[in-house]
Amino acid sequence: MVGWYSLGIALFAAIGTFLFGFDTGIATTTIAHQSWIDYMHHPSNGLTGAVVAVYIAGEAVGALGQTFIGDRLGRIRFMQLLCIIVTIGTTIQTAAVNIGMFLAGRAIAGMAVGGMVATVPIYLSEISAPDQRGLIGGISGCGISFGTMMSNWVGFACSYAPYGSTQWRLPLGIQIPWGVIMFIGLATFMPDSPRQLLRNGKVDAARREFARVRRDLQSHQVHEEFALMRAQIEFEMAREITSYKEVFTLFGRRAMVSIVVQTMTSLTGVNVIQYYQTTLYKSLGIQQQTILALAGVYGTVAFVSNSITTKFLTDQWGRRKMILAGLSGLILVMIYAAVMQRYFQNSDNKVGKGFAVLGIYLYVFLYYSMINSTTWLYGAEVLPIALRSKVMGLAAASHFIVNVAVTEAGPSAFANIHENYYYVFVGCTSFFLVIAYLYFPETRRKTLEEIARAFGDKVVLADEVRIDGERDEETGSITKEDNKVQATASTTSTIPPSNAASS
């Protein structure tokens, strides 16, 4: 049973991913308002596309920033910095008096949420219990879908406001307080990552934080699990990574799985469909007010499906099975959606157009229930502590960089090859389905340290750890004898990682 404290931490941390979902989704309804188009002096298709592109470029910069300074500042301080930046960015967007100012605000906010969406899954994975990590870590994905849903419904509601800038300034302004609220939570009751504290040599502080976040354990269990966690981290630190060449030499498969799983999400086409769903609805001859309502339903389907599977499937069924089922379903749904749009896009058949819209809703249901609820967590939990910030930042950056390409191509692709653009993503998704089947191991109900075994890496076992032995509790150091024992014991798994059974 998940405690209220752990749940509260997860919900506050998910404000960061909520801002990512909201600020991403609000672009959909903002650029659809005629009042915004008129106020910005009818921007060209290139400038309209830049509203999305500069935001995603900012996200890539923020994710790479997490790679370089995330470990130095620590999880809490880095997220506090991002809260300040996102507040500045959303304020500039809200107060924009021309397209240049609006784009600047988008870029600044993008940097903040890019860092957030790379950091929050790491943070939640590091403070959650193994049997609850799917739920606690998955809440970061729910934050994204909740932000998407709220942005669409707020945009729809504000379409009823009198013609003018209030129609789009009010939705943008709703974002401003959330960075402040999250900053307060980070500064008051949210714990630091015990694993990150151990990595920085702060053993006593790490022990206190671990006891806070693992209130489900008895005192002796806290002591034993902390000792195992500490031993594994110290073993990994003995092989400290100093360059990206070493990352891919020593932990190549783990790093590539994390990067591939994030790149995969972009190449399923989700962001193209999300950003340009209003264009797709318009191509079916649907009226403006109905288009905004359909976007709201899209967001609702995303959030509800994401929440249900996070609660009932992620820890129970497992990440690997959900990813494989999700990718398989997306391939079929995209083929269906392409066929429906081909036959009914330029027809007067209202029933047929309804089936075309159904294709978009089936897509969002499958993506958010099976892919979004797992991939952000999965990309973080497969990495060892020494690589988590470095590689997760690269993984998130790869997600955003690929997004720039596919979303910038979106308007031209839909205008020239129409529904055939779906088949590009069918091909990409099919490729990643094969990769996931061959190389993605199961991680459910394993500690972050035990996941190493699924990749054939060494795992420190309980009988290797002197829980009451020769540790200097004053300084938090580990004796050379202990380190030697831990470094020489061999526990490499002989089970093929891609088919490793969950414990």
Side-chain angles (χ1 to χ4, degrees):
M1 185 70 179
V2 179
W4 285 108
Y5 181 69
S6 298
L7 193 59
I9 294 169
L11 292 174
F12 253 82
I15 291 175
T17 55
F18 162 80
L19 284 168
F20 169 77
F22 191 96
D23 206 18
T24 300
I26 204 64
T28 301
T29 52
T30 298
I31 63 178
H33 282 304
Q34 188 62 43
S35 57
W36 182 85
I37 295 170
D38 293 341
Y39 189 91
M40 297 298 171
H41 304 293
H42 297 268
S44 64
N45 288 336
L47 283 175
T48 301
V51 171
V52 174
V54 300
Y55 180 72
I56 299 175
E59 290 173 327
V61 171
L64 291 173
Q66 193 257 9
T67 297
F68 294 111
I69 66 173
D71 280 338
R72 295 181 186 178
L73 293 179
R75 309 286 186 246
I76 295 293
R77 289 177 62 193
F78 184 63
M79 287 191 287
Q80 286 177 323
L81 174 63
L82 296 175
C83 287
I84 295 171
I85 296 173
V86 77
T87 303
I88 294 171
T90 52
T91 300
I92 291 174
Q93 285 183 73
T94 305
V97 296
N98 55 53
I99 190 67
M101 185 175 175
F102 188 81
L103 292 176
R106 294 288 293 169
I108 293 170
M111 284 190 285
V113 299
M116 283 285 193
V117 83
T119 305
V120 170
I122 295 177
Y123 174 72
L124 292 180
S125 71
E126 290 180 346
I127 66 166
S128 53
D131 60 340
Q132 300 171 358
R133 196 170 59 249
L135 173 58
I136 297 300
I139 287 175
S140 62
C142 291
I144 296 173
S145 56
F146 183 66
T148 300
M149 178 185 73
M150 291 304 298
S151 67
N152 289 341
W153 282 120
V154 167
F156 171 70
C158 288
S159 69
Y160 286 95
Y163 175 87
S165 61
T166 301
Q167 287 184 320
W168 53 271
R169 287 196 198 275
L170 181 58
L172 293 169
I174 288 173
Q175 303 172 93
I176 296 173
W178 292 104
V180 178
I181 293 170
M182 185 175 177
F183 185 95
I184 293 170
L186 290 165
T188 52
F189 78 94
M190 294 175 70
D192 211 336
S193 165
R195 289 175 168 86
Q196 183 66 24
L197 291 171
L198 276 175
R199 179 167 164 72
N200 292 334
K202 300 176 181 179
V203 179
D204 290 336
R207 186 180 290 108
R208 286 194 300 270
E209 295 298 310
F210 185 75
R212 285 178 66 191
V213 299
R214 294 304 309 277
R215 298 180 182 189
D216 56 309
L217 299 179
Q218 301 294 324
S219 60
H220 70 280
Q221 292 175 314
V222 170
H223 189 57
E224 291 170 3
E225 190 167 323
F226 180 82
L228 282 168
M229 179 180 73
R230 177 183 173 186
Q232 181 71 28
I233 290 172
E234 287 173 338
F235 168 75
E236 292 175 358
M237 288 174 64
R239 302 187 295 167
E240 187 65 44
I241 305 298
T242 57
S243 69
Y244 280 102
K245 181 180 179 180
E246 289 181 302
V247 168
F248 291 100
T249 300
L250 297 176
F251 299 101
R253 184 178 167 202
R254 296 174 76 172
M256 287 309 300
V257 166
S258 181
I259 293 171
V260 166
V261 79
Q262 294 301 335
T263 307
M264 173 188 81
T265 57
S266 295
L267 290 173
T268 60
V270 63
N271 287 287
V272 172
I273 293 173
Q274 181 164 305
Y275 283 128
Y276 299 113
Q277 59 174 305
T278 55
T279 302
L280 296 175
Y281 300 143
K282 192 177 294 184
S283 71
L284 292 169
I286 299 172
Q287 298 302 308
Q288 178 69 15
Q289 210 73 27
T290 306
I291 286 174
L292 294 176
L294 289 173
V297 175
Y298 176 100
T300 303
V301 172
F303 175 63
V304 172
S305 59
N306 199 157
S307 301
I308 291 173
T309 54
T310 296
K311 177 67 173 73
F312 296 107
L313 278 186
T314 313
D315 283 320
Q316 292 82 351
W317 200 32
R319 281 60 132 176
R320 173 181 163 83
K321 291 177 182 176
M322 291 178 69
I323 290 172
L324 293 176
L327 293 175
S328 301
L330 289 178
I331 292 168
L332 297 176
V333 166
M334 282 190 284
I335 294 172
Y336 166 84
V339 171
M340 289 298 103
Q341 288 194 36
R342 171 180 287 273
Y343 284 102
F344 299 112
Q345 197 164 36
N346 298 309
S347 76
D348 295 324
N349 189 327
K350 292 185 178 180
V351 174
K353 290 182 178 183
F355 278 105
V357 172
L358 176 63
I360 296 174
Y361 286 164
L362 287 174
Y363 179 93
V364 69
F365 169 77
L366 275 170
Y367 180 85
Y368 279 91
S369 64
M370 295 294 173
I371 304 299
N372 194 69
S373 57
T374 55
T375 49
W376 289 105
L377 169 65
Y378 190 78
E381 66 183 357
V382 298
L383 297 169
I385 181 70
L387 307 185
R388 217 159 275 152
S389 285
K390 293 183 179 69
V391 177
M392 191 62 180
L394 284 178
S398 71
H399 169 86
F400 298 132
I401 290 168
V402 172
N403 260 349
V404 170
V406 296
T407 54
E408 273 291 274
S412 298
F414 283 123
N416 293 300
I417 62 174
H418 309 293
E419 72 284 342
N420 291 320
Y421 197 31
Y422 282 112
Y423 293 113
V424 174
F425 301 116
V426 168
C428 292
T429 305
S430 300
F431 170 77
F432 285 113
L433 175 61
V434 175
I435 296 298
Y437 179 78
L438 294 175
Y439 298 108
F440 286 16
E442 185 54 77
T443 57
R444 76 181 183 102
R445 300 186 183 276
K446 292 182 174 76
T447 68
L448 292 180
E449 291 69 41
E450 289 170 345
I451 288 171
R453 183 183 290 113
F455 289 92
D457 294 338
K458 168 175 169 54
V459 178
V460 178
L461 300 179
D463 58 6
E464 298 177 74
V465 181
R466 302 181 187 180
I467 294 174
D468 297 308
E470 302 172 14
R471 295 182 184 276
D472 182 351
E473 298 297 340
E474 294 292 327
T475 62
S477 64
I478 184 170
T479 67
K480 292 180 180 178
E481 290 75 13
D482 281 337
N483 198 41
K484 187 183 294 183
V485 170
Q486 294 160 3
T488 57
S490 175
T491 59
T492 303
S493 172
T494 58
I495 300 173
S498 63
N499 297 314
S502 61
S503 60

